[in-house]
Each structure stands twice: as structure tokens, then as C-alpha cells.
Amino acid sequence: MSGVLGTYAYVNYFGVNGGIRQGSITCAMPAGSLFGALTSSFIADKFSRKTAIQIAAVIWIIGSTVQASANGIPLLVVGRVVAGLSVGIASTIVPVYQAEIAPKEIRGRVVALQQWSITWGILIQYFIQYASSFVDGGPSNPSQSTAAFRIPWALQTIPAVILFVGMYFLPYSPRWLAAQDRWEESIKVLADLHASGDMYHSKVLAQYQEIEEALCFEREVAASTLKALTEPRIFKRVILGMSIQMWSQLCGMNVMMYYIIYVMQGAEVGNPLLLASIQYVLNVTLTFPAILFIDKWGRRPLLLVGAFGMMVFLFTSGALQGAYGRPNPRTDHRLDAISWFLPGHPAVSKAIVACSYLTVSTFAITWGPTSWTYPSEIFPSKVRAKAVSLATASNWAFNCALAFATPPLIWKINWKIYMIFAAFNAVAFVHMFVAMPETKNKTLEEMDEVFESGRPAWRPVPKGSRLDDLQQDIEDGNVKVRPPANATPNEHEPK
């Protein structure tokens, strides 16, 4: 959306130039995402994580088609709501699917790849929008044709088609298969994922045994899925997961991504569309280190450092704008969407742009990947999809509210909005410090031990994993575990 906001084609065709109307259009997608997130678990639990992702791809194709053919704001909003429904489903289930198929040693890295892919998608789409903005005389041509925004919106269908087809070549989640009592298929998938098809490998047998024990325990409790969410041991994790997703929005990052063009216009430093593109490049580039090191550094340090860093940069940006800026005299029609700018202070303007870049960079390497990784791994199998759907719904609820409220807030309180987001980061820092235990190198089935040990969140979690101990016992012959009787033997079966 941000790449078309500065074009005459978009402004003239839809009659939008900031304010509540633009906020309504922007928030339509996160509103759809909120509903998609809340319904995603029912689809994923019944039809599988894999099928849910394919359904999301089909819905995205429909939504993108409606947007590209929109003849006014109502149809554009409908298209964005439909597309948002897809985003809600995918953003909930993809991390769950990744967490359930990944080895514990690289689970954070695998789930973080989703965030990196998202940043690539945002970057590519932005440059497609930027290139399309030069259609028919460029973004400053008052009679620019609607192709400037229809082309990028139509091209959004291509990744969804690739995703739909590509999912046919990926396995079902072994934990979902086990929950459906499809044990033979489950252990085959585990063997393919972790031991090149060897069902008798000690790691596969240990993983199989751990999943079986965890499911047996959950079934003995015999509580319904929805009731289980309210049990104290689970409910506090639900609140933590929802809080992390909430703070990932209240940190101010997505507002920067949605409305960065307004920041650049107010700073009056170079080409706003081109300057805004730099933050998308930074978002992609600096997510990569998190992928490499999230399983080494841990989830907790990343969120703490990220909240503190964004707090500093947002406070700095807000203070500079408050000290050196002034109200927009509205002498330039192209700047009607902003109410505050910084004329005559090029050094300050550059510092504000730099703070914007630093905020994005800090988020990319810390909260970006971690806020999706952590909620996907802290819940038991029985409630995982529904609990993650609630956490993701929290993300999209605040995303929707901020997308709607930010344009009028920028207009009314100007630089003070930066102070608000900086304060949110300060509160997030304190919350994560006291409530978030470390989860790196623990299996999904060990999360009960992590959260129920009675250990304060700020104290280190003991090293080692129950899975590694069980694997060693199997190798030493102290524990006997065999695949299900109906599992098809392969060339690895002991003779």
C-alpha cells in the first residue's frame, strides 16, 4: 500500500490523501487478518496445517483479483478484507507448521525464515509499486492512469499460485498426523525429516516416543481444547503469546512500514518514494543475521535488546521533530496528507530519517523473527493451533487499530506519536524481562517443564534436553522403542 500512496493515480482515482479515509482502507486488510487468525485453527486442526496454508493461498488470489479490479473504495476495501483473511490464516498456521516439522536445534531459524520471506515479499512488492509509479508520466502527473496501482496489485497473485502448488510437495506435520492417530504416517515423516527415511534411527524413535507420551498425557486430562486454553498452566502462556504479538505492533514498526512515505515527505530530504525504499532493503538485510543466530543467542535477549533499542530511536526522532519542526502551511498540494514538517534544518531531517532506518533495522534483527517464533513453540500439541491463533489475532487486532488511527493521530499530535510508541517499547522491555523464559534448544514437548518449573523468567534455563537423553538411552539399549506395527519396513530395519 505504501508504494502507491504518493502517486496521483491513487490519490485522484480514490479521492484519498491521508486521514480517516486512508486509515479505513489500510486497516481493512488487518481487519480481515484478525478474522482469518481466529478461524485458522479450526481449519488447521480438522484438515491439517498443510491444507490450511493451501486454502489461504486460494483466498489470497481472490482478494488480490478484487483489489486489482476495484472501481472505488468499497470494492477496494472488500478486496483487502478478503486478502487479509488469507494473511490471518497463513500468518497463524505457517509458524505452527514450521515449528512442528523442525528439529529443536534449528527451530528458531526455520520459523525465522518465514519473517525473512515476508520482508523479501514486502521489498519486492514495494519496488514493483515504485516502478509502476512511473507509468503514464510518473507519480507527479495529475492525469496518471490507474495502471500505476492495478499492476502491482494484480502481480500479488503470482506468489500465492506458487505457494498453492508447492505445498503439494511438502509433508504433513508429524504431530498433526499423530494427533489424528495416523502413527504410521507420522513416524515416516519424522524419519524423512530427521534421518533420511530411517525409522529405526535413535533420534526418530526418541522423537516418536516423546510425541506419543505427550499426546497420551493430554488425552488423560480429557479437557476440551477450548477449556484447556483457560487452565492456569496454559492460560498464562496464552497471555504471554498474545502480549508478544501485541508489543510487536505497539513498538511502532508496522506504522513505519505503512506510512513511511509521510515521514519522508515531512523530512523534505530527497525523493520520498526512493528514500522509503531503503528501509525495506534494511528490513530484508538485517533479518538474515537473526536467522543465523536466533538459536544461538536465544529468544529472550533478542526481544529485550530490540525493545530498548527501538525505545531510544523513537524517543530521539520524536524529540528532534518536536524541537525543530513546525505545522504544515499547506502551500503544496502534494503534502496535504502531512501536518508537520522540518523546513530549513537539513541535518535534523537527515537525523530523523536515520532514526527511522535504525528503528526498522532494530526490529528486523530482533522482534521481527522472534515475535513469530516464540508463540509458535510454547504450547502443547492439543491447543497449539488455537493458542497461536489467539496470539496472531492479537497481532492483527492492534495492527488494524493502528492502521486506522495513525493517519489522524499523525495529523493531530504530530511528533508526540513517536513518544507514545517509545513508551510502549519501555513497557514491553519490562514485561519481557519478568515474564518470558528462554526456550532455545528445547523440544515442543518440553515446554511444560520450561514454564512449570517455578524458576523466574530471568534465570537461565538448564542446558540439555530430555530428547537428547532419551536418544542416548535408546542407543545404549536402556530403552526399547519400535515403530508402529503397521509402519512399512524399509532398508534401515534391523535384521
Side-chain angles (χ1 to χ4, degrees):
M1 176 60 74
S2 61
V4 303
L5 292 180
T7 64
Y8 268 116
Y10 176 81
V11 172
N12 291 339
Y13 189 80
F14 293 106
V16 175
N17 200 353
I20 293 177
R21 182 175 292 185
Q22 179 58 54
S24 301
I25 295 172
T26 304
C27 80
M29 182 171 288
S33 300
L34 171 60
F35 182 75
L38 290 173
T39 59
S40 62
S41 63
F42 299 97
I43 301 172
D45 285 339
K46 183 174 180 59
F47 299 107
S48 81
R49 285 54 164 140
K50 176 178 173 178
T51 302
I53 295 170
Q54 289 181 303
I55 291 172
V58 173
I59 296 173
W60 177 263
I61 292 170
I62 296 170
S64 297
T65 303
V66 173
Q67 289 178 75
S69 60
N71 60 359
I73 292 178
L75 197 58
L76 175 59
V77 169
V78 170
R80 286 181 63 78
V81 169
V82 173
L85 179 65
S86 165
V87 173
I89 297 172
S91 62
T92 300
I93 303 306
V94 168
V96 171
Y97 177 74
Q98 292 171 310
E100 290 185 343
I101 67 173
K104 63 180 176 59
E105 295 84 0
I106 60 169
R107 185 176 61 244
R109 188 179 306 172
V110 170
V111 179
L113 280 171
Q114 182 219 17
Q115 175 66 14
W116 197 43
S117 300
I118 290 172
T119 63
W120 270 109
I122 293 171
L123 175 66
I124 293 169
Q125 179 66 357
Y126 183 86
F127 276 115
I128 290 173
Q129 292 175 336
Y130 179 69
S132 299
S133 72
F134 291 98
V135 169
D136 197 20
S140 59
N141 178 17
S143 59
Q144 186 181 35
S145 73
T146 61
F149 59 80
R150 295 194 191 279
I151 291 173
W153 290 350
L155 290 176
Q156 293 178 126
T157 59
I158 296 175
V161 172
I162 296 173
L163 177 63
F164 179 83
V165 175
M167 286 303 298
Y168 280 110
F169 300 95
L170 297 179
Y172 288 97
S173 162
R175 289 172 170 85
W176 178 82
L177 289 169
Q180 311 305 309
D181 288 325
R182 293 161 62 174
W183 292 101
E184 298 82 3
E185 296 173 73
S186 176
I187 197 168
K188 287 179 183 177
V189 172
L190 287 172
D192 290 337
L193 290 172
H194 303 299
S196 301
D198 181 4
M199 289 190 294
Y200 292 87
H201 191 283
S202 58
K203 185 172 185 177
V204 174
L205 294 175
Q207 189 87 73
Y208 168 79
Q209 176 79 0
E210 195 173 46
I211 292 172
E212 185 179 41
E213 289 177 354
L215 283 175
C216 287
F217 173 76
E218 291 171 15
R219 288 170 178 174
E220 285 176 3
V221 174
S224 67
T225 304
L226 293 177
K227 184 179 179 181
L229 289 171
T230 63
E231 294 177 359
R233 72 184 186 91
I234 303 299
F235 186 68
K236 68 179 182 181
R237 281 181 254 179
V238 172
I239 296 300
L240 178 59
M242 294 178 67
S243 298
I244 288 175
Q245 291 284 22
M246 175 190 73
W247 293 127
S248 74
Q249 291 298 319
L250 294 180
C251 72
M253 169 61 178
N254 270 353
V255 172
M256 301 294 292
M257 301 300 279
Y258 280 143
Y259 300 115
I260 187 65
I261 187 66
Y262 296 154
V263 176
M264 299 307 175
Q265 286 176 339
E268 291 195 323
V269 182
N271 183 327
L273 284 172
L274 185 59
L275 283 172
S277 70
I278 295 174
Q279 76 163 0
Y280 294 96
V281 176
L282 291 171
N283 197 24
V284 170
T285 304
L286 291 173
T287 300
F288 187 68
I291 296 172
L292 296 178
F293 298 110
I294 187 172
D295 289 306
K296 181 177 181 180
W297 295 340
R299 287 63 158 150
R300 180 179 165 85
L302 287 175
L303 292 192
L304 292 175
V305 171
F308 183 82
M310 288 187 287
M311 175 191 69
V312 171
F313 298 133
L314 288 168
F315 269 134
T316 303
S317 181
L320 290 173
Q321 292 185 57
Y324 294 96
R326 63 183 178 86
N328 181 9
R330 299 174 70 86
T331 56
D332 186 344
H333 173 68
R334 291 174 301 176
L335 300 180
D336 282 350
I338 63 174
S339 62
W340 198 261
F341 75 137
L342 291 94
H345 299 287
V348 175
S349 295
K350 291 176 183 177
I352 290 170
V353 172
C355 283
S356 297
Y357 292 157
L358 288 169
T359 301
V360 170
S361 299
T362 303
F363 180 89
I365 202 172
T366 58
W367 279 79
T370 312
S371 62
W372 293 105
T373 301
Y374 196 83
S376 71
E377 63 187 8
I378 63 176
F379 301 106
S381 177
K382 184 174 183 178
V383 301
R384 185 173 297 125
K386 287 183 173 60
V388 175
S389 76
L390 289 175
T392 307
S394 172
N395 177 297
W396 291 115
F398 282 92
N399 188 310
C400 179
L402 291 173
F404 177 77
T406 296
L409 278 175
I410 290 176
W411 184 264
K412 290 181 179 179
I413 65 175
N414 308 306
W415 56 271
K416 298 181 185 71
I417 195 170
Y418 288 83
M419 301 303 192
I420 293 174
F421 287 123
F424 283 144
N425 278 289
V427 178
F429 177 89
V430 175
H431 185 192
M432 294 302 100
F433 182 83
V434 301
M436 178 191 177
E438 184 56 69
T439 58
K440 70 173 183 177
N441 292 328
K442 300 294 182 181
T443 66
L444 299 181
E445 287 70 33
E446 289 179 283
M447 291 302 158
D448 281 349
E449 297 176 13
V450 171
F451 281 89
E452 303 306 317
S453 66
R455 185 186 308 107
W458 56 86
R459 289 192 177 175
V461 175
K463 295 182 179 180
S465 169
R466 187 177 63 199
L467 179 67
D468 296 334
D469 295 337
L470 179 58
Q471 181 179 348
Q472 187 62 52
D473 286 340
I474 293 172
E475 292 176 357
D476 294 341
N478 298 326
V479 176
K480 302 294 184 182
V481 181
R482 293 187 63 84
N486 295 329
T488 303
N490 57 38
E491 65 273 17
H492 302 284
E493 182 176 4
K495 303 300 183 184

